[in-house]
Amino acid sequence: MSPPAEITIPTTSLYTPTDKSKPYTLYNITLRLPLRTYVHQKRYSEFATLHQTLTAQVGAAPPAPLPAKTWFKSTLSSPELTEDRRRGLEAYLRAIAESPDRRWRDTSAWRTFMGLPGLNSAGNSAVSVRGGFGIPNKDAANAAAAQDPGTWLDLHGEMKRDFQEARRCLARRDAATENSVALEAGSAAKKALVKGSGLLNHLRDGLKAMEEAKRLGEGEIRRRKDLLAAARVDRDGLDKLSSTISTSAKAAQKGPPSASDKAALIGTAASKGRGRVLGAPLPETDQTRELDNEGVAQLQRQLMRDQDQDVEALTKIIRRQREMAEAIHREVEEQTEMLGHVDNQVDVMEGKVSVARNRTKKIS
């Protein structure tokens, strides 16, 4: 008997395919099991296919109707339609999951759609289905999971495991006696570190969204911010450690000379090759040397996000400086006006003193 599941669709995401085809809406399904919480992303057409398959396999329609397809409106331009369809799809899935009749839940179509193990499977603890099947954008799935208080903690645990895996790989790299083993361990550490850093960014953005929506108390927000601060310190330390070269790697580098070493020895040939070379590959760095194409792309996205955050922080500082300058300007204008008023009062008082002095002279 499968464990009871709690199914919700708290948010939606807009996805644009890489082939520049028409964008569409993804519904972020949160599936809470006793041991883990998963997030799937499905589009409306997949719900429609599920509905048809369940009806065909069981011989009867599910206990709740599927929200009807609209022909004159689109979820891309109508937030009201998106919200109505989100609520309808959530009610549709919950009706199947909570129905006393198990016929729809026991079908292969339902278990595949929800990412559940088969009926003959021993369990689901060893199967990672976060993100579901056929998800076009796992970053969007992580971003959606980070905006839910429950799945946020699951992502945080996954991030910590990635950092622990990076630390184990770095230790294996430093203890390796062969250059190939050291390079393999260093590459694995880089991959785990990049993955954990990506989750850290999603956790930060998700916590900010939950704070703005007031989905958590102030005390819990502070606690999770402390967790992220500790994770950033851990990430920075691992990043510095991964950028260093192990002792065995340094010893291995004393073997056959590389092409750059040969070019450095041949001074005349190197001097002739100076200048700009069109189409020449960019030189490797300590951060990209041990990454594959996917890792380099993820590292680039992370660096771009960090740069965007720096620009945003700088924008806030400049905006604050401008507000302070405008406040100072207004204060100076008010002080100038007050000084002008005092000057007028002084002139009036001097006139009164002069009149009193003249009267005193007449009396005397």
Side-chain angles (χ1 to χ4, degrees):
M1 182 177 178
S2 60
E6 178 186 351
I7 301 176
T8 59
I9 306 181
T11 58
T12 60
S13 302
L14 180 62
Y15 176 71
T16 302
T18 55
D19 58 357
K20 297 183 180 180
S21 57
K22 183 180 179 181
Y24 52 84
T25 301
L26 290 173
Y27 298 90
N28 305 316
I29 307 171
T30 300
L31 174 64
R32 289 187 175 87
L33 297 176
L35 298 180
R36 292 197 63 180
T37 301
Y38 303 116
V39 174
H40 308 266
Q41 285 187 307
K42 302 290 183 181
R43 56 186 303 184
Y44 177 79
S45 60
E46 294 176 280
F47 281 91
T49 302
L50 172 67
H51 184 76
Q52 296 175 358
T53 306
L54 290 178
T55 304
Q57 291 184 358
V58 178
L66 184 72
K69 183 178 180 62
T70 58
W71 299 100
F72 302 102
K73 285 186 179 181
S74 172
T75 55
L76 302 178
S77 58
S78 177
E80 295 80 8
L81 176 61
T82 303
E83 179 62 20
D84 292 342
R85 182 172 289 180
R86 182 196 67 79
R87 288 197 297 263
L89 293 176
E90 181 179 274
Y92 175 79
L93 295 179
R94 295 184 66 174
I96 298 176
E98 299 172 1
S99 174
D101 192 345
R102 299 182 51 87
R103 290 181 297 168
W104 297 280
R105 294 197 299 273
D106 290 341
T107 60
S108 59
W110 169 261
R111 307 188 75 83
T112 300
F113 183 85
M114 298 305 299
L116 296 172
L119 292 175
N120 297 326
S121 177
N124 62 354
S125 60
V127 182
S128 177
V129 294
R130 183 179 56 80
F133 292 87
I135 290 220
N137 190 354
K138 292 185 177 180
D139 285 339
N142 289 333
Q147 295 181 13
D148 183 86
T151 53
W152 192 96
L153 295 175
D154 293 331
L155 283 183
H156 180 267
E158 184 175 347
M159 176 198 66
K160 290 180 63 177
R161 289 190 291 272
D162 289 334
F163 288 160
Q164 291 172 359
E165 176 64 20
R167 186 175 286 104
R168 285 192 294 267
C169 292
L170 290 175
R172 190 166 66 250
R173 181 201 68 175
D174 294 338
T177 57
E178 298 181 2
N179 189 28
S180 59
V181 176
L183 291 176
E184 182 180 358
S187 178
K190 283 283 188 180
K191 291 180 180 179
L193 186 58
V194 170
K195 181 183 176 184
S197 299
L199 291 177
L200 179 60
N201 292 330
H202 289 307
L203 289 171
R204 182 198 58 232
D205 297 339
L207 184 60
K208 182 178 179 181
M210 287 188 292
E211 183 179 10
E212 293 175 352
K214 297 183 179 179
R215 301 184 64 185
L216 292 173
E218 295 182 359
E220 181 64 16
I221 290 292
R222 287 195 298 269
R223 187 182 75 86
R224 297 193 181 192
K225 285 183 177 180
D226 293 339
L227 292 177
L228 293 183
R232 280 193 294 269
V233 173
D234 193 15
R235 188 270 311 270
D236 294 341
L238 289 173
D239 190 33
K240 293 179 181 178
L241 186 61
S242 65
S243 300
T244 60
I245 303 178
S246 62
T247 305
S248 59
K250 290 180 180 179
Q253 287 180 355
K254 296 180 180 179
S258 62
S260 60
D261 296 333
K262 294 179 181 179
L265 290 176
I266 307 175
T268 56
S271 61
K272 294 180 180 179
R274 292 179 181 176
R276 182 179 180 184
V277 180
L278 296 177
L282 295 176
E284 290 283 355
T285 64
D286 293 335
Q287 290 183 324
T288 61
R289 184 172 292 109
E290 298 175 351
L291 296 178
D292 55 9
N293 292 337
E294 182 179 357
V296 172
Q298 188 170 358
L299 177 61
Q300 183 181 10
R301 289 194 294 269
Q302 176 187 344
L303 293 176
M304 292 175 65
R305 282 193 295 266
D306 293 340
Q307 291 174 357
D308 291 341
Q309 293 166 7
D310 293 339
V311 171
E312 183 179 356
L314 181 60
T315 302
K316 292 180 180 178
I317 294 175
I318 295 175
R319 186 181 298 112
R320 180 58 180 166
Q321 293 290 340
R322 178 181 176 180
E323 292 175 354
M324 294 174 61
E326 291 177 350
I328 293 174
H329 178 67
R330 289 193 298 269
E331 182 68 21
V332 170
E333 288 182 343
E334 292 177 359
Q335 294 292 338
T336 302
E337 184 180 356
M338 293 175 63
L339 289 174
H341 181 68
V342 170
D343 188 43
N344 294 334
Q345 293 295 326
V346 169
D347 293 339
V348 172
M349 186 59 65
E350 287 180 353
K352 292 181 178 180
V353 170
S354 177
V355 172
R357 186 181 296 111
N358 295 332
R359 289 180 179 178
T360 302
K361 290 180 180 179
K362 290 180 180 179
I363 296 174
S364 60

